[in-house]
Amino acid sequence: MPELPEVEVVRAGLEPAVTGARVTSVTVFDERSLRRHDGPREDFIDRLTGIRMLAPERRGKFLWIPLSAPASALVVHLGMSGQVLLRDRDTDDPRTRIRLELEHPEHGPLRLNFVDQRIFGSMAIDRLVPTKDHPAQSVPSQVAHIARDPLDEGFDDEHFFAALARRRTGVKRALLDQTLVSGIGNIYADEALWAARVHYNEPTDALSRRAVSLLSEVRAVFARALAEGGTSFDTQYLQVNGESGYFARSLNAYGRQGLPCPRCGRPLVRERFMNRGSHFCAKCQPVRRAA
DNA sequence: CCTCGCTCCTGGTCGC
DNA sequence: TGCGACCAGGAGCGAG
């Protein structure tokens, strides 16, 4: 499941390939992948064809490529199973929903396949709007309600702690709320909670200072995943061009139910929560109640 | 305004 | 061998 680190690897891998490239043709194989586009497929195709792409940007799990048409961008969300694959002109991929043919001034012709098995992801053309807290920056309108992510220079730690404490809910639900803090999905939420020794359903207003270590662990988990994703151009290109699209992770809690906790040895537990799995150590992450 | 549950989706896997 | 049930979960939406 692509969360912030995976999306960032895609963004970085796309950057050298698409920046300055011109879109020569667009094919929409499945209109459901345009669910978030405001208009029919013809509108999407018309607005993209012939346009030039600028350097890709990201906030949380949202990725967008600003376009030469003023104040507009191609917004990409990978959803559960989305991939953006850079190919040569002759290569196709199963379950390609949208295809862009590009012409790059240096790299020549390039094919960009948007592949998505479960069609939770999407592409859309959207307008860019200034951000509230930093009007010199702009983001797509459909990203404007998303909070900054913890790797964003503009992320305000104290503001986050205050907003977290005001919530009347469990901490994992809060971590997954992209309007509070963006980029965290189910896997890295479980990993950060395990590292900070916090139970997933602990009330946010009971965290107190452990919220500080929780945010710190979120950043550490992201940093490790990014390090695994590689930072060289070649590695990034392989990710974007690769078969799976996602790099292998070393996980301590997620998906490890029944296996020993790497910290205390007690078998890890998996419970259903919010219609998905929560993986944790019942000893290291005991249930606590509000103070 | 806030919280929470439902819905969208497909393909791999499992059990009968 | 075939087929139905189940499972994975990000994000938007509407109910309360």
Side-chain angles (χ1 to χ4, degrees), chain A residues 71-242:
Chain A
S72 72
L74 171 65
V75 183
V76 183
H77 198 289
L78 301 177
M80 291 289 303
S81 52
Q83 294 172 267
V84 180
L85 300 177
L86 293 173
R87 301 302 198 193
D88 60 50
R89 273 285 144 89
D90 303 318
T91 304
D92 197 8
D93 294 286
R95 299 190 274 279
T96 297
R97 310 300 182 183
I98 297 171
R99 170 182 298 152
L100 309 185
E101 304 286 3
L102 308 180
E103 184 69 33
H104 192 279
E106 293 162 38
H107 308 315
L110 203 60
R111 169 174 286 187
L112 193 155
N113 285 334
F114 179 70
V115 174
D116 191 8
Q117 182 208 121
R118 273 172 272 186
I119 321 188
F120 276 31
S122 64
M123 280 187 158
I125 309 290
D126 193 15
R127 67 183 207 282
L128 292 168
V129 299
T131 59
K132 287 175 187 168
D133 56 346
H134 205 303
Q137 294 179 343
S138 61
V139 298
S141 71
Q142 56 188 247
V143 181
H145 69 292
I146 299 295
R148 289 179 185 272
D149 62 65
L151 301 188
D152 187 327
E153 286 182 2
F155 187 88
D156 185 335
D157 289 17
E158 294 306 320
H159 182 268
F160 168 70
F161 296 139
L164 188 64
R166 277 197 300 272
R167 289 292 171 102
R168 291 293 174 266
T169 188
V171 60
K172 182 171 177 181
R173 195 184 289 277
L175 287 181
L176 295 177
D177 183 346
Q178 306 296 302
T179 68
L180 181 68
V181 53
S182 68
I184 307 169
N186 197 47
I187 295 173
Y188 295 128
D190 281 1
E191 289 299 305
L193 288 165
W194 178 86
R197 307 181 192 223
V198 175
H199 188 272
Y200 66 85
N201 211 17
E202 178 163 341
T204 53
D205 56 350
L207 283 172
S208 186
R209 298 205 57 78
R210 286 178 307 134
V212 178
S213 77
L214 182 58
L215 177 60
S216 169
E217 295 296 352
V218 167
R219 290 195 171 112
V221 163
F222 280 172
R224 277 199 296 275
L226 280 170
E228 263 189 74
T231 50
S232 74
F233 170 82
D234 286 347
T235 308
Q236 286 165 356
Y237 189 83
L238 283 175
Q239 299 297 344
V240 177
N241 196 27

